Amino acid sequence: DVQLVESGGGLVKPGESLRLSCAASGFTFNSYTMNWVRQAPGKGLEWVSSVSTGGTYVYYGDSVKGRFTISRDNSKNSIYLEVDSLRVEDTAVYYCARDPGAGNYLDYWGQGILVTVSS
Amino acid sequence: YVLTQPPSVSVAPGETARATCGGNNIGSKSVNWYRHKPGQAPVLVMFYDSDRPSGIPERFSGSNSDNTATLTISRVEAGDEADYYCQVWDSGSDQWVFGGGTKLTVL
Protein backbone atom coordinates (compact mmCIF):
# COMPACT_ATOMS: atom_id res chain seq x y z
CA ASP A 1 0.00 0.00 0.00
CA VAL A 2 1.10 3.55 -0.71
CA GLN A 3 2.08 5.36 2.46
CA LEU A 4 3.25 8.93 3.01
CA VAL A 5 4.20 9.86 6.56
CA GLU A 6 5.08 13.41 7.54
CA SER A 7 7.19 14.34 10.55
CA GLY A 8 9.09 17.26 12.04
CA GLY A 9 6.26 19.59 12.93
CA GLY A 10 5.74 21.37 16.21
CA LEU A 11 5.58 24.72 17.98
CA VAL A 12 8.13 27.34 16.97
CA LYS A 13 8.55 31.06 17.43
CA PRO A 14 8.32 33.62 14.64
CA GLY A 15 11.60 33.90 12.75
CA GLU A 16 12.70 30.37 13.65
CA SER A 17 13.29 27.47 11.30
CA LEU A 18 12.02 23.92 10.96
CA ARG A 19 12.65 20.90 8.76
CA LEU A 20 9.68 18.81 7.70
CA SER A 21 10.15 15.28 6.35
CA CYS A 22 7.92 12.93 4.39
CA ALA A 23 8.79 9.24 4.23
CA ALA A 24 7.28 7.29 1.34
CA SER A 25 6.71 3.59 0.89
CA GLY A 26 4.72 1.18 -1.23
CA PHE A 27 5.64 2.63 -4.64
CA THR A 28 8.61 3.44 -6.89
CA PHE A 29 9.46 6.73 -5.22
CA ASN A 30 11.88 8.07 -7.82
CA SER A 31 9.18 7.92 -10.51
CA TYR A 32 6.96 10.52 -8.88
CA THR A 33 7.01 14.28 -8.54
CA MET A 34 6.39 15.12 -4.88
CA ASN A 35 4.60 18.07 -3.34
CA TRP A 36 3.88 19.91 -0.12
CA VAL A 37 0.41 21.36 0.41
CA ARG A 38 -0.79 23.14 3.54
CA GLN A 39 -4.03 24.15 5.21
CA ALA A 40 -4.09 26.99 7.70
CA PRO A 41 -6.75 26.86 10.44
CA GLY A 42 -10.15 27.66 8.98
CA LYS A 43 -8.70 28.13 5.49
CA GLY A 44 -8.55 26.13 2.27
CA LEU A 45 -5.80 24.07 0.71
CA GLU A 46 -2.73 25.96 -0.46
CA TRP A 47 -0.03 24.40 -2.62
CA VAL A 48 3.43 25.10 -1.20
CA SER A 49 6.10 23.41 -3.32
CA SER A 50 6.96 20.66 -5.81
CA VAL A 51 10.14 18.72 -6.57
CA SER A 52 10.76 16.73 -9.74
CA THR A 53 11.64 13.03 -9.79
CA GLY A 54 15.39 13.62 -9.76
CA GLY A 55 15.27 16.73 -7.61
CA THR A 56 16.50 19.02 -10.37
CA TYR A 57 13.36 21.06 -10.81
CA VAL A 58 11.70 22.75 -7.85
CA TYR A 59 8.71 25.07 -7.75
CA TYR A 60 7.25 27.26 -5.01
CA GLY A 61 4.09 29.13 -4.20
CA ASP A 62 4.42 32.91 -4.07
CA SER A 63 3.83 33.10 -0.31
CA VAL A 64 6.83 30.88 0.54
CA LYS A 65 9.27 31.67 -2.26
CA GLY A 66 12.65 32.62 -0.83
CA ARG A 67 11.89 31.21 2.65
CA PHE A 68 11.14 27.53 2.02
CA THR A 69 13.39 24.97 0.31
CA ILE A 70 12.17 21.61 -0.97
CA SER A 71 14.49 18.67 -1.57
CA ARG A 72 14.41 14.91 -1.88
CA ASP A 73 16.64 11.93 -1.20
CA ASN A 74 15.67 9.07 -3.48
CA SER A 75 17.99 6.70 -1.60
CA LYS A 76 15.85 7.28 1.50
CA ASN A 77 12.47 7.55 -0.28
CA SER A 78 11.96 10.91 1.38
CA ILE A 79 11.28 14.54 0.69
CA TYR A 80 12.02 17.49 2.91
CA LEU A 81 10.87 21.04 3.40
CA GLU A 82 13.23 23.47 5.05
CA VAL A 83 11.11 26.28 6.39
CA ASP A 84 12.98 29.43 7.40
CA SER A 85 11.93 32.81 8.76
CA LEU A 86 8.64 31.36 9.92
CA ARG A 87 5.68 33.67 10.27
CA VAL A 88 2.49 33.34 12.30
CA GLU A 89 0.63 32.92 8.99
CA ASP A 90 2.69 29.79 8.21
CA THR A 91 0.75 28.01 10.96
CA ALA A 92 -0.92 25.12 9.17
CA VAL A 93 -1.19 21.39 8.69
CA TYR A 94 1.40 20.45 6.07
CA TYR A 95 0.67 17.51 3.77
CA CYS A 96 2.97 15.74 1.37
CA ALA A 97 1.39 14.37 -1.78
CA ARG A 98 2.60 12.53 -4.87
CA ASP A 99 2.02 13.38 -8.50
CA PRO A 100 2.41 10.58 -11.06
CA GLY A 101 3.63 13.09 -13.62
CA ALA A 102 4.45 16.76 -13.39
CA GLY A 103 1.40 18.93 -13.02
CA ASN A 104 -0.96 15.98 -13.46
CA TYR A 105 -2.82 15.42 -10.19
CA LEU A 106 -2.12 14.50 -6.56
CA ASP A 107 -3.27 10.93 -6.14
CA TYR A 108 -2.03 10.07 -2.64
CA TRP A 109 -1.64 12.30 0.39
CA GLY A 110 -0.15 11.87 3.83
CA GLN A 111 -2.13 12.49 7.01
CA GLY A 112 -0.38 15.80 7.57
CA ILE A 113 1.77 17.36 10.29
CA LEU A 114 0.92 20.47 12.28
CA VAL A 115 3.27 23.44 12.38
CA THR A 116 2.36 26.16 14.86
CA VAL A 117 4.18 29.47 14.78
CA SER A 118 3.54 31.52 17.89
CA SER A 119 5.45 33.69 20.30
CA TYR B 1 -4.47 32.27 -12.07
CA VAL B 2 -7.54 32.37 -9.83
CA LEU B 3 -10.12 29.66 -9.27
CA THR B 4 -13.45 30.69 -7.77
CA GLN B 5 -15.72 28.28 -5.90
CA PRO B 6 -18.98 29.01 -4.06
CA PRO B 7 -18.40 28.65 -0.30
CA SER B 8 -21.24 26.22 0.25
CA VAL B 9 -23.76 23.91 -1.34
CA SER B 10 -26.59 22.12 0.48
CA VAL B 11 -28.65 19.20 -0.78
CA ALA B 12 -30.93 16.56 0.67
CA PRO B 13 -29.93 12.90 0.60
CA GLY B 14 -30.64 11.31 -2.75
CA GLU B 15 -30.52 14.60 -4.64
CA THR B 16 -27.79 15.85 -6.99
CA ALA B 17 -25.06 18.23 -5.82
CA ARG B 18 -23.03 20.37 -8.15
CA ALA B 19 -19.83 22.15 -7.16
CA THR B 20 -18.60 24.69 -9.66
CA CYS B 21 -15.12 26.06 -10.24
CA GLY B 22 -14.71 29.24 -12.24
CA GLY B 23 -11.55 30.38 -13.98
CA ASN B 24 -10.52 32.33 -17.05
CA ASN B 25 -10.74 29.88 -19.96
CA ILE B 26 -10.54 26.98 -17.51
CA GLY B 27 -11.86 24.77 -20.28
CA SER B 28 -8.36 24.81 -21.78
CA LYS B 29 -6.87 23.34 -18.60
CA SER B 30 -7.16 19.96 -16.87
CA VAL B 31 -9.11 20.21 -13.64
CA ASN B 32 -8.76 17.94 -10.62
CA TRP B 33 -11.11 17.68 -7.65
CA TYR B 34 -10.40 16.67 -4.06
CA ARG B 35 -12.67 15.74 -1.17
CA HIS B 36 -11.42 16.79 2.26
CA LYS B 37 -13.00 15.79 5.53
CA PRO B 38 -11.86 17.29 8.88
CA GLY B 39 -8.88 15.48 10.36
CA GLN B 40 -8.32 13.36 7.28
CA ALA B 41 -6.04 13.47 4.27
CA PRO B 42 -7.55 14.97 1.11
CA VAL B 43 -8.75 12.41 -1.43
CA LEU B 44 -8.60 12.75 -5.21
CA VAL B 45 -12.13 12.23 -6.58
CA MET B 46 -11.74 13.42 -10.17
CA PHE B 47 -8.76 14.07 -12.46
CA TYR B 48 -8.29 15.29 -16.02
CA ASP B 49 -11.74 16.94 -15.80
CA SER B 50 -13.82 13.76 -15.83
CA ASP B 51 -11.73 10.70 -14.94
CA ARG B 52 -12.55 8.87 -11.72
CA PRO B 53 -9.79 7.24 -9.66
CA SER B 54 -10.39 3.63 -8.68
CA GLY B 55 -12.58 3.41 -5.61
CA ILE B 56 -14.58 6.56 -6.38
CA PRO B 57 -18.22 5.65 -7.12
CA GLU B 58 -19.84 6.29 -10.48
CA ARG B 59 -22.10 8.80 -8.72
CA PHE B 60 -19.19 11.23 -9.10
CA SER B 61 -18.74 12.88 -12.49
CA GLY B 62 -16.96 15.92 -13.86
CA SER B 63 -17.14 18.34 -16.75
CA ASN B 64 -15.16 21.36 -17.92
CA SER B 65 -15.97 23.92 -20.58
CA ASP B 66 -15.32 27.58 -21.29
CA ASN B 67 -14.95 29.32 -17.92
CA THR B 68 -16.50 26.74 -15.59
CA ALA B 69 -15.63 23.25 -14.38
CA THR B 70 -18.24 21.25 -12.48
CA LEU B 71 -18.11 18.30 -10.10
CA THR B 72 -21.47 16.53 -9.96
CA ILE B 73 -22.41 14.11 -7.22
CA SER B 74 -25.59 12.13 -7.92
CA ARG B 75 -27.71 10.40 -5.29
CA VAL B 76 -25.91 12.25 -2.52
CA GLU B 77 -25.26 10.34 0.71
CA ALA B 78 -24.48 11.58 4.21
CA GLY B 79 -20.91 10.34 3.77
CA ASP B 80 -20.35 12.78 0.89
CA GLU B 81 -20.44 15.71 3.30
CA ALA B 82 -17.02 17.37 3.03
CA ASP B 83 -15.09 20.27 1.53
CA TYR B 84 -14.46 19.93 -2.20
CA TYR B 85 -11.55 21.70 -3.89
CA CYS B 86 -10.82 22.17 -7.56
CA GLN B 87 -7.22 22.42 -8.77
CA VAL B 88 -5.32 23.21 -11.94
CA TRP B 89 -1.67 23.44 -12.95
CA ASP B 90 -0.92 26.97 -14.12
CA SER B 91 1.82 26.54 -16.70
CA GLY B 92 2.29 30.30 -16.91
CA SER B 93 3.63 30.46 -13.37
CA ASP B 94 4.59 26.79 -12.89
CA GLN B 95 2.33 26.55 -9.87
CA TRP B 96 -0.55 24.43 -8.67
CA VAL B 97 -3.63 26.53 -7.97
CA PHE B 98 -6.49 25.47 -5.68
CA GLY B 99 -9.93 26.97 -5.53
CA GLY B 100 -11.14 28.24 -2.18
CA GLY B 101 -13.25 25.13 -1.62
CA THR B 102 -16.96 24.39 -1.41
CA LYS B 103 -18.48 22.92 1.72
CA LEU B 104 -21.08 20.31 0.80
CA THR B 105 -23.74 19.93 3.47
CA VAL B 106 -26.15 17.01 3.32
CA LEU B 107 -29.39 18.15 4.93
Side-chain angles (χ1 to χ4, degrees), chain B residues 14-85:
Chain B
E15 293 189 344
T16 296
R18 293 179 179 84
T20 60
C21 178
N24 185 33
N25 198 26
I26 195 174
S28 66
K29 300 180 182 296
S30 284
V31 179
N32 307 315
W33 291 89
Y34 301 87
R35 176 180 64 209
H36 193 201
K37 297 183 179 181
Q40 298 185 17
V43 173
L44 179 71
V45 297
M46 198 67 57
F47 64 99
Y48 294 162
D49 298 337
S50 59
D51 287 348
R52 273 180 297 105
S54 60
I56 300 302
E58 291 183 7
R59 301 184 296 106
F60 286 74
S61 62
S63 64
N64 184 18
S65 179
D66 297 328
N67 295 314
T68 304
T70 303
L71 175 71
T72 301
I73 308 172
S74 304
R75 302 181 299 283
V76 165
E77 303 172 355
D80 296 329
E81 192 164 276
D83 295 322
Y84 290 83
Y85 294 88

Side-chain angles (χ1 to χ4, degrees), chain A residues 12-15 38 40-41 67 85-92 94 115-119:
Chain A
V12 296
K13 292 181 169 53
R38 68 183 182 182
R67 297 188 300 123
S85 304
L86 279 161
R87 305 168 180 169
V88 170
E89 55 265 35
D90 293 318
T91 295
Y94 286 73
V115 172
T116 304
V117 184
S118 175
S119 55

Side-chain angles (χ1 to χ4, degrees), chain A residues 7-116:
Chain A
S7 61
L11 174 63
V12 296
K13 292 181 169 53
E16 292 186 343
S17 300
L18 207 58
R19 188 195 201 205
L20 304 182
S21 301
C22 172
S25 60
F27 63 100
T28 305
F29 180 73
N30 59 14
S31 295
Y32 289 81
T33 297
M34 298 298 294
N35 295 260
W36 289 99
V37 178
R38 68 183 182 182
Q39 184 179 38
K43 303 293 186 181
L45 298 176
E46 178 190 15
W47 171 77
V48 172
S49 184
S50 293
V51 58
S52 62
T53 54
T56 301
Y57 301 101
V58 295
Y59 306 94
Y60 298 96
D62 291 339
S63 63
V64 307
K65 208 172 288 186
R67 297 188 300 123
F68 290 13
T69 303
I70 192 172
S71 62
R72 66 189 296 159
D73 185 338
N74 286 342
S75 69
K76 295 183 178 178
N77 285 0
S78 294
I79 65 168
Y80 308 97
L81 189 68
E82 300 276 356
V83 294
D84 297 325
S85 304
L86 279 161
R87 305 168 180 169
V88 170
E89 55 265 35
D90 293 318
T91 295
V93 175
Y94 286 73
Y95 298 95
C96 73
R98 77 171 198 180
D99 179 349
N104 284 6
Y105 48 86
L106 305 180
D107 62 351
Y108 279 93
W109 299 59
Q111 288 296 317
I113 191 78
L114 177 62
V115 172
T116 304

